[in-house]
Amino acid sequence: MKPIPLSLLCAALMCMLIPACGGKLPTKVNTESPAQQVKPAVPAALFTDITDKAGINWVHNPCRTGKKLLPETVGGGGGFIDYDNDGFQDIILINGGPLPGYTGKPGRLALYHNNGNGTFTDTTAASGLDFKGYGFSAVVGDYDNDGWPDIFITALDGCRLYHNEHGHFKDVTAQACVGVKGFCTAGAWVDYDRDGKLDLFVASYVEWTAETDLPCGSPSARQYCAPNQYKGSAPHLFHNLGNGKFEDVSEKAGVLGHPGKNLGIAIYDFNHDGWPDIFLANDTVANVLLINNKNGTFTDQALTAGVALADQGGATGSMGVDVATPFCDGKAVIGIGTFATQEASLFASTSTGDGPLLFENRKREAGLADPTHASTTFGAAFFDANLDGYPDLLLVNGHIDDDPSLRIGNGQVPYRQLPQLFMNTGDGKFADADKSAGFAKPIIGRGLAVADIDNDGRQDLLIFENGGPVRLWHNDTPPVGKWLGVKLVGTKSPKDGSGAMVTISGPGWEQTLCAGTARSYLSACDARVHFGLGNRTKPDKLIIRWTSGTVTTLNNPETGKYLTVKE
C-alpha cells in the first residue's frame, strides 16, 4: 500500500490534539426537558423473515471461479423501487455474471412486483431489464422528470441505464452517453448544479481485470488480495443535459483527483448552504467529503473536517455509509461500516454557526466500538425501528474469506456474521439489540435496503448475502409512538425530490434527512422520507428545503400517514 504522506498524518494528529477540531459533546446531547424526554429504556425491536411467505426466491451468485478473483467478494446489492407508481415498494435484485474461468450457471437479475398484500410476483421477464453483466447495485432516480423512477445498474466493465416507460424498462445507455467502463460499485443521482435535473455520480473501486488479478496467498492457499494492493479507480460525474443525454464532467468538476476505492456514497447538505454535497466511503484509503462550491466544482474537506481517517490517524476499510440526525439536535451524524478490528465509525458534527465543518468520531461514547470490533460491516443504515423518535442503526456484516487461517486472529473473526441492530437510547448512546430482534442466523452480509413495504409506518429491511439468498424482514416491532412520512414532488427541483433537505422539529428537538434513495451499501432505499416521533406531540413544523432554493413549510403537519408535498 502506498504510504500515507507525513503531512496527512500530522494534520490528522493535530486534529486530535487541538480542541477546536472537535471537543467532547455533552453526555446528553438532546435539549428537551425531562418531561419531553420520557422514553422507555431500549424499547424492543422485532423483525420477521417473510421472504418465503412473500414469494421471493432469489440467490446472489458471485460466480466464484476458485481463483479468488476480487469482484467475487463485493456483491450483492439492489433494493426498492416503486417502478409502477402504485404506492407500494417493489424490489430490484442485482446479480453477478460469468467471470473468466467460471463454468456454472450465471446469476440472474430479478424484479419483484409488490402485490400490496404481503406477497410479491416475479415480473422480470416482462420488465425489459435484460442486463446480463456482472452487476453490483441499482441506482434509482427519475432523471428525466417524467414521474417514473429509472434505474442505473453499476457493474464490472459495463454499467447500464434503463429508462422507465410507464412500468417497462428500455436500455438507453448508448444514447444517454453513460456507458461507464471499469470496476463501478456505488452510485447516486444528485442535482449538483441545482438546475432541476438529476445528474449521475458513479463510484469506482480499483483498476482491475481478470488478467491483472494479483495471485495473493500461496498456491495451496490462494486468498483474495486486499484492495490496498491495487490502484484506485477514479469516479465519474455525468451532467444531465436535459435531452436524454449526459456529459462527463468528472475532470471539470474536480472529482477525478481522488483516491477511488469507493464503496459507499451519501448525499447531504453538510454545510447548510443549500447545495448538495457528496461523501465517499473509501476502502483502505482516506474518505472524501466533496463540498459543493456552487459553481459546478467540488473541494474535498474530509481531512480538515475530521472524517477522512479513523481516530487512530489511519485509513479504514470503509464500506456502507448513511447520514441522519440520531441525537435529535439537528446535527448530521455519518455512520460508516468498516473492516474487522477497525470498529464502525460514527462521525458526529460539532460545527457551530457559520464556522468550519468539524466532526468527532463518537463510536466509543456511543457504545459502538466494542460490539463492532470483530465485525466486517458492509450495509449500514439509520432508521427508527420502534418509532420512538430516536433513529437506530443497523449494520449488516460478513467477512471476505472462508479460510479461517486467512482471517484476523486465525479464525477468531468469523466468516459468517450476524447483523447488528443498535437501538438509540436517547442519551447519545446505542444499545446492542440484535439478539432479540430476530436475526439469529449468521450470514455473509453485504447490501442493506430500508423501505416500508406495506405502508404501515414501520420500515422493513432487505438484506443481501454474498453467494446466498436475499432475505426480506418485516418490521413487527410494537410502535412506541407516532410517525410521519413524506413523498416529495418537485416542480423546479427534480420531480422525485432528490436532494431536498427535510426537517421536522418541536420544542428542543430537530431531525433532518436528505431525500434520495442512495444509502447504505450497493442499495436503493425507499424514496420517501420517514421519521419516527415517539411520544412527542405533533411536530410544530415540517420544513422542506428544495434544491431549487424554494422552502416549503407545513405547520403542525398531520402524522400517522405519508404526506405528498408538492414544491
Side-chain angles (χ1 to χ4, degrees), residues 518-537:
R519 297 166 56 195
S520 185
Y521 175 79
L522 305 184
S523 300
C525 295
D526 198 329
R528 299 171 297 183
V529 179
H530 181 279
F531 298 99
L533 302 176
N535 58 9
R536 300 183 179 108
T537 56

Side-chain angles (χ1 to χ4, degrees), residues 201-204 233-237 248 250 255-260 262 280 290:
F201 191 98
V202 183
S204 292
S233 180
H236 296 268
L237 179 62
D248 190 337
S250 308
V255 303
L256 278 183
H258 298 293
N262 177 224
L280 306 179
L290 295 173

Side-chain angles (χ1 to χ4, degrees), residues 200-220:
L200 179 62
F201 191 98
V202 183
S204 292
Y205 193 39
V206 297
E207 293 185 3
W208 180 94
T209 66
E211 293 72 29
T212 59
D213 189 82
L214 299 175
C216 294
S218 65
S220 60

Side-chain angles (χ1 to χ4, degrees), residues 230-245:
Y230 293 93
K231 182 180 179 180
S233 180
H236 296 268
L237 179 62
F238 292 93
H239 178 242
N240 190 338
L241 301 176
N243 57 0
K245 297 183 183 300

Side-chain angles (χ1 to χ4, degrees), residues 218-483:
S218 65
S220 60
R222 181 73 187 266
Q223 66 185 88
Y224 293 108
C225 289
N228 58 16
Q229 301 187 49
Y230 293 93
K231 182 180 179 180
S233 180
H236 296 268
L237 179 62
F238 292 93
H239 178 242
N240 190 338
L241 301 176
N243 57 0
K245 297 183 183 300
F246 291 77
E247 175 192 6
D248 190 337
V249 295
S250 308
E251 184 173 5
K252 186 191 309 183
V255 303
L256 278 183
H258 298 293
K261 301 186 182 180
N262 177 224
L263 291 175
I265 300 177
I267 307 298
Y268 202 87
D269 180 8
F270 289 101
N271 57 0
H272 311 292
D273 65 353
W275 293 75
D277 309 305
I278 305 172
F279 182 88
L280 306 179
N282 292 332
D283 193 1
T284 71
V285 294
N287 298 321
V288 170
L289 177 57
L290 295 173
I291 296 300
N292 197 322
N293 296 325
K294 311 178 191 178
N295 60 3
T297 69
F298 293 84
T299 299
D300 181 13
Q301 295 187 19
L303 185 61
T304 57
V307 297
L309 307 170
D311 49 2
Q312 298 90 348
T316 59
S318 298
M319 292 171 281
V321 59
D322 200 9
V323 184
T325 52
F327 301 142
C328 296
D329 58 359
K331 293 190 174 184
V333 174
I334 307 171
I336 307 174
T338 60
F339 203 73
T341 74
Q342 295 175 347
E343 304 160 352
S345 293
L346 193 75
F347 291 110
S349 173
T350 61
S351 303
T352 57
D354 296 326
L357 278 177
L358 297 171
F359 289 81
E360 178 187 56
N361 195 343
R362 300 197 70 244
K363 63 181 182 181
R364 290 184 177 84
E365 295 88 335
L368 294 180
D370 288 344
T372 62
H373 184 78
S375 301
T376 296
T377 302
F378 286 85
F382 289 106
F383 72 110
D384 194 343
N386 54 9
L387 305 181
D388 65 351
Y390 294 86
D392 310 301
L393 177 64
L394 182 67
L395 305 178
V396 172
N397 311 312
H399 210 272
I400 300 300
D401 213 304
D402 58 353
D403 185 342
S405 67
L406 303 176
R407 297 196 300 274
I408 298 171
N410 195 27
Q412 293 181 13
V413 173
Y415 180 42
R416 297 179 180 275
Q417 301 179 8
L418 286 172
Q420 292 175 290
L421 177 63
F422 291 94
M423 301 300 290
N424 191 332
T425 58
D427 57 357
K429 295 180 173 61
F430 291 85
D432 192 344
D434 54 280
K435 293 179 178 61
S436 61
F439 306 121
K441 183 180 178 181
I443 61 173
I444 312 164
R446 293 295 185 264
L448 162 66
V450 181
D452 182 359
I453 62 171
D454 51 2
N455 297 330
D456 66 352
R458 294 173 294 182
Q459 291 187 291
D460 312 297
L461 310 171
L462 190 67
I463 295 179
F464 293 84
E465 181 174 4
N466 183 264
V470 71
R471 309 308 297 181
L472 180 62
W473 294 83
H474 185 259
N475 189 343
D476 291 322
T477 307
V480 172
K482 299 176 182 179
W483 62 277

